[in-house]
Amino acid sequence: QKEVEQDPGPLSVPEGAIVSLNCTYSNSAFQYFMWYRQYSRKGPELLMYTYSSGNKEDGRFTAQVDKSSKYISLFIRDSQPSDSATYLCAMSPNYGQNFVFGPGTRLSVLP
Amino acid sequence: ETGVTQSPTHLIKTRGQQVTLRCSSQSGHNTVSWYQQALGQGPQFIFQYYREEENGRGNFPPRFSGLQFPNYSSELNVNALELDDSALYLCASSRLAEYTDTQYFGPGTRLTVL
């Protein structure tokens, strides 16, 4: 079993849809959870960062962490074609060190 | 724009050769991490440098080595290249001591080993 699992997609949705992206993990020591967006041929760009369990909202993006289920989610509201990218979850037991990434989910938002 | 730069953008090497990749961290950042991202996979942590010292290492063999310089720029060296080393190599910088800070990635160097 991989330490972090993520549905690779591709996931295709119409413009304006609500998108749900998810990761599961096996290491209960993870405390820091991040979502990155990566456009083709670019480095990952941080979208959301959360510590421990709970929800965090930033504009059209909401991140949820459920440590009891070892499950994290990223919701994108009113999705736009510019949201088309690969979304990577990442997590770490210690802040700033040894990030473990999921394999990424490729999202296409169709106009 | 994150401010993290990497060079070169692309590189082609043959098996057994050695390669050096370079990274300039964002202004004010003293920590640099290197990642290997194979096609269709998430980045895998190679190692991290903090104030010129290695500060953590992932599951990579010793032929992957690094340096950090007093200006906090960094190099990744890979000896005895293997075909499986073909990947996008990402550098990320951060201020390790800052609780709310996080890593900012450069655009990467795409290495092809033939």
Side-chain angles (χ1 to χ4, degrees), chain A:
Chain A
Q1 182 188 11
K2 289 186 178 178
E3 208 167 7
V4 179
E5 305 218 38
Q6 195 173 359
D7 187 336
L11 176 63
S12 293
V13 300
E15 183 174 354
I18 295 174
V19 177
S20 172
L21 303 166
N22 311 295
C23 286
T24 58
Y25 62 95
S26 57
N27 187 347
S28 57
F30 289 143
Q31 298 189 81
Y32 299 91
F33 303 91
M34 285 134 291
W35 285 95
Y36 284 83
R37 176 175 62 195
Q38 186 174 24
Y39 292 113
S40 182
R41 302 183 180 279
K42 301 284 189 183
E45 168 196 12
L46 180 69
L47 285 175
M48 300 286 287
Y49 155 78
T50 52
Y51 170 70
S52 195
S53 287
N55 295 354
K56 185 172 184 179
E57 188 173 322
D58 184 2
R60 296 186 296 113
F61 299 93
T62 299
Q64 288 185 351
V65 175
D66 182 350
K67 289 187 69 179
S68 62
S69 302
K70 298 191 182 69
Y71 187 88
I72 69 171
S73 300
L74 177 71
F75 298 95
I76 306 174
R77 289 182 298 282
D78 187 26
S79 56
Q80 303 295 309
S82 59
D83 295 327
S84 298
T86 296
Y87 289 80
L88 300 156
C89 63
M91 43 200 82
S92 170
N94 304 303
Y95 181 73
Q97 295 185 13
N98 296 354
F99 281 31
V100 180
F101 281 81
T105 297
R106 193 152 54 92
L107 170 67
S108 291
V109 181
L110 307 174

Side-chain angles (χ1 to χ4, degrees), chain B residues 1-73:
Chain B
E1 188 175 355
T2 65
V4 178
T5 60
Q6 292 185 244
S7 62
T9 306
H10 296 90
L11 204 52
I12 300 175
K13 292 284 189 178
T14 56
R15 197 169 46 181
Q17 284 189 311
Q18 178 264 342
V19 69
T20 297
L21 310 181
R22 296 179 175 84
C23 170
S24 291
S25 60
Q26 186 164 320
S27 177
H29 288 187
N30 56 21
T31 302
V32 173
S33 301
W34 285 92
Y35 292 83
Q36 180 194 67
Q37 186 175 23
L39 199 61
Q41 300 296 317
Q44 279 197 291
F45 176 73
I46 303 175
F47 43 56
Q48 181 182 80
Y49 279 83
Y50 170 61
R51 293 187 174 177
E52 303 179 57
E53 303 257 341
E54 189 176 289
N55 187 44
R57 188 179 183 93
N59 189 26
F60 279 81
R63 59 189 186 84
F64 286 78
S65 62
L67 279 174
Q68 187 178 33
F69 300 99
N71 66 355
Y72 303 129
S73 66

Side-chain angles (χ1 to χ4, degrees), chain B residues 97-113:
Chain B
E98 296 288 334
Y99 175 82
T100 57
D101 202 7
T102 191
Q103 298 188 349
Y104 294 88
F105 284 84
T109 293
R110 185 161 298 282
L111 172 65
T112 302
V113 182

